[in-house]
Amino acid sequence: MGETVGHERRVFSGVQPTGNLHLGNYLGAVKRFVEMQEQDVQTLYCVVDLHAITMPYDPRALRHATRELTAAFLACGLDPAKSILFNQSQVPAHAELTWLFNCVARIGWLNRMTQFKDKAGKNREAASVGIYAYPVLMAADILVYKATHVPVGEDQKQHLELARDIASKFNLDFGAPDFFPLPEPMIEGAATRVMSLRDGTKKMSKSDPSDLSRINLTDDADAIAQKIRKAQTDPEPLPSEEEGLEGRPGAANLVAIYAALADMPKAAVLAEFGGQPFSAFKPALAELAVAKVAPIAGRMREHLADPAHIDAVLADGAERAEAIAAPVARDAYEIAGLLRTRR
Ligand code: TYM
């Protein structure tokens, strides 16, 4: 992790409580959250429920999904004694800073966001204002903690750039040169963009209608093995060098997944399996994936059986998060000229 001048290093990231986590979320984000929690840096991980209401949803299902994602965080190894784990809506400073940032960000910047175009679809006029302003809330999530490092998958890169633009413009407009740090995206590792198992040119995603396209963290061993067996590949054996994966998206995806699960470089995977057919590689990958992923579902169920504990984790996390965020939001309001007479 590089140093960010003038600011203490602090890690923040968020995940939406919309349905089950899949292998892309795990390898691109949550597994890396756990690794960073073990380093000498403060870590905050947030269930971003305010983001989840930007698309049509059912309030009861949302409450459940918030607890379920918290259970998944715990089952993956996030530890409330080491990281601050909380849900966004319990810390009002996120929404407070968002309003200020809505007045700093430019419409032209938001118009360039590709995820909005994807999510809003053809009928843009009917999309919520929230889904349009979503990246501004995301900037507030990060900057309300003055976070310096943000582990995310590749698909969040553009949003992180926007957060940096908002931080710079705020600092510049209000003559507060170093108030907000420029947060660094950490898009690292072998699997920053895990692809669909059915189509190696499409991202693995919660919204893909085919369940065979993704491995869910709640899948059992049989489902995981079956999905890998059916994963799209090609008739050629595995290459021995990374260049040999070019133009072979299905093969490249499975190699990246293996590398990320085994914590080894892709080159080392190819050194081991180069020249072998998929009929040999897929069973090895299935065994590895089952060993790493299947136990998570069991631990998740144990946590979900005790919702009072989950709620206590979130309540404690929210208090600790608020202690950092509230003073930052207050200072930002004062810098922006909003009169405060209450102490
Ligand atoms: P979300 O909930 O869609 O995804 C959570 C994390 O998983 C990563 N990810 C993937 N990584 C690799 N391969 C994939 N196929 C894949 N699919 C998803 C995402 O990049 C993300 O890191 N806007 C964010 C949530 C958010 C946030 C934040 C993140 C809100 N505020 C502040 C960081 C900082 C989102 O919708 O992620």
Side-chain angles (χ1 to χ4, degrees), residues 12-18 21-30 32-33 46 48 51 69 88 115 119 134 137-139 141-142 150-157 159-160 191-196 202-206:
F12 178 93
S13 198
V15 179
Q16 290 198 60
T18 42
L21 286 188
H22 53 68
L23 192 64
N25 300 127
Y26 179 63
L27 296 177
V30 184
R32 300 177 45 237
F33 298 175
C46 184
V48 291
H51 280 93
L69 178 53
Q88 191 183 25
Q115 200 165 73
K119 288 210 171 171
Y134 171 118
L137 174 58
M138 187 165 154
D141 296 339
I142 298 164
V150 186
V152 283
E154 165 93 30
D155 61 351
Q156 297 301 316
K157 189 165 180 225
H159 291 158
L160 260 293
T192 56
R193 189 174 175 81
V194 177
M195 308 307 276
S196 157
K202 274 183 16 197
K203 193 178 69 170
M204 184 178 284
S205 129
K206 291 172 190 172

Side-chain angles (χ1 to χ4, degrees), residues 239-246 252 255 265-268 270:
S240 307
E241 313 275 336
E242 278 185 67
E243 299 81 72
L245 290 171
E246 268 166 41
V255 169
K266 281 190 266 187
L270 293 177

